[in-house]
Amino acid sequence: MLEIVMLESGDIVVRRPSEQDEPLLTLSFSDELISTLGDERINIAKIMLSAGVQLVAEAGARQREARDEVLRPPVVH
């Protein structure tokens, strides 16, 4: 379980709820982008994080498939 939190500094972090001090990921936006995006930056961060999680899951599935191919014994007819 992970949580997305906006810190007082304006940074958006991903962390485990039990680890309040140690974020797994930190997103920082420039002052210019913060003023342009306003309150929408948390929604943009969620979209960015969702896309990243999806890509990591897909990469893990590809690695498992490749590993399974290597471990599968060859077929002898």
Side-chain angles (χ1 to χ4, degrees), residues 60-72:
R62 284 192 300 274
Q63 286 178 346
R64 283 187 299 279
E65 289 172 8
R67 185 188 67 232
D68 291 346
E69 283 293 318
V70 170
L71 297 176
R72 187 173 297 133

Side-chain angles (χ1 to χ4, degrees), residues 1-4 14-20 22 24 53:
M1 182 67 86
L2 300 174
E3 63 182 4
I4 300 170
V14 177
R15 63 185 182 196
R16 291 185 179 90
S18 61
E19 297 177 12
Q20 299 291 319
E22 186 65 33
L24 299 169
V53 167

Side-chain angles (χ1 to χ4, degrees), residues 29-38 41:
F29 293 93
S30 69
D31 291 339
E32 180 181 358
L33 198 51
I34 289 171
S35 67
T36 301
L37 298 175
R41 74 179 164 198

Side-chain angles (χ1 to χ4, degrees), residues 23-58:
L24 299 169
L25 175 73
T26 303
L27 293 173
S28 298
F29 293 93
S30 69
D31 291 339
E32 180 181 358
L33 198 51
I34 289 171
S35 67
T36 301
L37 298 175
D39 293 337
E40 287 299 310
R41 74 179 164 198
I42 190 72
N43 293 326
I44 291 170
K46 287 178 184 179
I47 292 167
M48 293 169 63
L49 295 168
S50 177
V53 167
Q54 182 177 351
L55 287 172
V56 167
E58 291 171 3

